[in-house]
Amino acid sequence: MAEAGTGFLEQLKSCIVWSWTYLWTLWFFIMLFLVYILRVPLKINDNLTTVSMFLNTLTPKFYVALTGTSSLISGLILIFEWWYFRKYGTSFIEQVSVSHLRPLLGGMDNSAPSAASAANGDADSSRQSVSECKVWRNPLNLFRGAEYNRYTWVTGREPLTYYDMNLSAQDHQTFFTCDTDHLRPADAIMQKAWRERNPQARISAAHEALELNECATAYILLAEEEATTIVEAEKLFKQALKAGEGCYRRSQQLQHHGAQYEAQHRRDTNVLVYIKRRLAMCARKLGRTREAVKMMRDLMKEFPLLSMFNIHENLLEALLELQAYADVQAVLAKYDDISLPKSATICYTAALLKARAVSDKFSPEAASRRGLSTAEMNAVEAIHRAVEFNPHVPKYLLEMKSLILPPEHILKRGDSEAIAYAFFHLQHWKRVEGALNLLHCTWEGTFRMIPYPLEKGHLFYPYPICTETADRELLPSFHEVSVYPKKELPFFILFTAGLCSFTAMLALLTHQFPELMGVFAKAFLSTLFAPLNFVMEKVESILPSSLWHQLTRI
């Protein structure tokens, strides 16, 4: 019985919700009709007469104050809505309406799949969306002490966000620690140091660990955060390499003796790869590019399975600096594969190589007269492919937006990845004659081929909608985040802007021409209520007078 009663109440509630959702217009007219019928006992006419007499006694100054106050309030709402939209990308009023009013009106989220088959059918696309919105370690990230901190000393601005540094701390704990660290005093200290938020506390812990033992991870921390120049960082990394190679050889001999030894060997492998990669980056920054290329190639041959560090992107940048375009093409042939995750470095480097073959002789006027040649068509298609993957990059390459220091983590296809790519590769595009001109003439044509709205892509999966939120977390607040696709202004911003302008105009006109505005207001109200009066006269003429008399006596 209780279950039957509960079911009846649920059905009754759903019926009421349905009626309010779809029949609200009927309810509204019924209420108006009842109010009109009961206008005599409710003394509505007398009250309206009293109100009209009161309004007639008001001076024009009151109406000026009323419209001016309305304009001020709507202007404040407009300013708040605009600020909220610029910061969070949505309208505050719209968000509150969707969050609080929709449940009251019985609205439901129809986007969620209602059956298991639909969920299974969307599994691949949702998995792809999640993977594309994953935050990746920037393979070309700068040194905190020698580069990021120097920027802070000069400008007084923090180039890294707390979210970005927190992700780096998690990476360090994953790569540089293991479960057996508590058995070794120096590693136990470093395990706590990687979790420390205060930079000075981390540096002090690293020095404390070095007093106990030659600890490779302690040298890494000092090279990353304490060294103020690349030369100092390279010296510390060389000391870390000496200590790391010894640990790696010892753990390599014991890796098959148990799970703990295997975990320790995996940690020592990560440490060694990280040190060698950073040493190669130091050589690249100090101008020893050929040495850096050799170190990167040797590292990729020695540890071919460790693709998490994306060392091939470091190699591509160094080869472009040497202008070894044939070697760059060989690396792209290996990594620009459909089964591997794409990146802006791969897509735009492939576009640069194809643009290099035609850019020095490319002329938009000549191309419009004779049409594009096969090589030019290939170059344009490569540019379109790159722009579809990351549409934020061209504005940085064409210097339409100012660059900032790249973050330590990037979001593929996002503004953070575009900054990281352009920061290191802009010089390579400038070195190829005519490449930026070709990019300038052709990159906007990409958007004519992408379906709108972005329910599907052209060459890649649809552009993920999560990039703006993640980029705002990764990039500093003083940088204006690039957003794609451009969001249209919400309705409530346009509405409040129109309301503010209209009420301000009314206040000004009422102040300047009080009598004329009074005549205009009376004419407007009489015109507005004319259809209602006409309908009421027709209703009174149709209904019998006896019925009308009985209803008014209720």
Side-chain angles (χ1 to χ4, degrees), residues 77-95 468 472 483 485-494:
I77 296 174
L78 172 63
I79 293 173
F80 174 76
E81 277 283 298
W82 178 256
W83 169 82
Y84 195 88
F85 174 73
R86 291 297 299 271
K87 186 172 183 179
Y88 299 104
T90 185
S91 167
F92 175 77
I93 300 176
E94 182 179 346
Q95 186 178 20
E468 180 185 357
R472 291 186 188 277
V483 179
K486 282 290 185 182
K487 290 188 175 181
E488 298 180 357
L489 287 177
F491 165 76
F492 287 104
I493 290 183
L494 301 176

Side-chain angles (χ1 to χ4, degrees), residues 146-177:
E147 292 172 305
Y148 287 121
N149 286 348
R150 290 170 69 89
Y151 176 84
T152 303
W153 298 336
V154 173
T155 64
R157 291 177 170 181
E158 289 291 342
L160 298 176
T161 63
Y162 174 78
Y163 176 70
D164 192 14
M165 292 188 289
N166 187 49
L167 290 176
S168 297
Q170 296 177 18
D171 292 340
H172 296 153
Q173 294 176 48
T174 302
F175 294 149
F176 303 149
T177 63

Side-chain angles (χ1 to χ4, degrees), residues 11-21 27:
Q11 291 181 355
L12 181 62
K13 181 180 178 181
S14 63
C15 291
I16 295 175
V17 169
W18 180 86
S19 66
W20 275 107
T21 304
W27 283 97

Side-chain angles (χ1 to χ4, degrees), residues 187-214:
D187 289 336
I189 294 175
M190 289 307 301
Q191 191 176 41
K192 295 179 181 179
W194 293 121
R195 298 172 182 166
E196 181 62 51
R197 293 185 179 181
N198 187 354
Q200 292 301 322
R202 288 197 298 269
I203 293 173
S204 300
H207 284 292
E208 183 182 351
L210 288 176
E211 292 176 359
L212 299 176
N213 192 9
E214 288 290 308

Side-chain angles (χ1 to χ4, degrees), residues 347-517:
C347 294
Y348 278 90
T349 302
L352 176 61
L353 292 187
K354 292 187 177 180
R356 175 176 169 269
V358 298
S359 60
D360 57 337
K361 300 178 182 178
F362 177 78
S363 172
E365 294 80 9
S368 61
R369 289 196 305 268
R370 58 174 171 78
L372 294 175
S373 63
T374 303
E376 290 173 340
M377 184 64 71
N378 291 336
V380 172
E381 289 178 354
I383 290 175
H384 287 175
R385 172 178 179 262
V387 173
E388 182 181 350
F389 182 83
N390 193 317
H392 309 284
V393 172
K395 288 188 176 181
Y396 293 106
L397 292 180
L398 298 173
E399 298 181 271
M400 300 166 64
K401 279 180 67 74
S402 58
L403 276 172
I404 61 172
L405 294 185
E408 293 183 338
H409 289 80
I410 59 174
L411 183 69
K412 289 192 174 182
R413 308 187 75 178
D415 191 31
S416 52
E417 184 192 34
I419 292 172
Y421 172 79
F423 186 85
F424 293 99
H425 288 261
L426 176 59
Q427 56 181 331
H428 307 316
W429 279 81
K430 287 184 175 181
R431 189 178 293 120
V432 177
E433 182 182 356
L436 290 176
N437 177 48
L438 179 60
L439 177 67
H440 174 72
C441 296
T442 57
W443 74 279
E444 290 182 332
T446 308
F447 306 115
R448 291 192 290 268
M449 300 187 301
I450 301 176
Y452 186 84
L454 301 175
E455 71 278 356
K456 61 180 180 178
H458 179 62
L459 298 175
F460 297 99
Y461 283 90
Y463 192 81
I465 60 175
C466 60
T467 55
E468 180 185 357
T469 304
D471 278 332
R472 291 186 188 277
E473 295 288 338
L474 289 171
L475 298 173
S477 58
F478 57 81
H479 172 72
E480 183 180 355
V481 176
S482 177
V483 179
Y484 175 80
K486 282 290 185 182
K487 290 188 175 181
E488 298 180 357
L489 287 177
F491 165 76
F492 287 104
I493 290 183
L494 301 176
F495 176 76
T496 51
L499 182 63
C500 177
S501 304
F502 179 70
T503 51
M505 182 183 66
L506 284 182
L508 180 62
L509 292 176
T510 306
H511 178 71
Q512 294 292 332
F513 312 103
E515 296 180 358
L516 182 62
M517 288 300 295

Side-chain angles (χ1 to χ4, degrees), residues 303-347:
F303 302 98
L305 300 179
L306 288 181
S307 60
M308 69 184 75
F309 292 102
N310 291 325
I311 304 172
H312 61 276
E313 296 197 8
N314 299 84
L315 179 61
L316 284 173
E317 196 278 328
L319 290 173
L320 286 172
E321 177 64 21
L322 294 175
Q323 301 184 40
Y325 297 111
D327 294 335
V328 172
Q329 185 62 54
V331 175
L332 286 177
K334 181 178 180 181
Y335 288 96
D336 192 4
D337 187 81
I338 192 171
S339 62
L340 296 175
K342 295 290 186 294
S343 67
T345 301
I346 290 177
C347 294

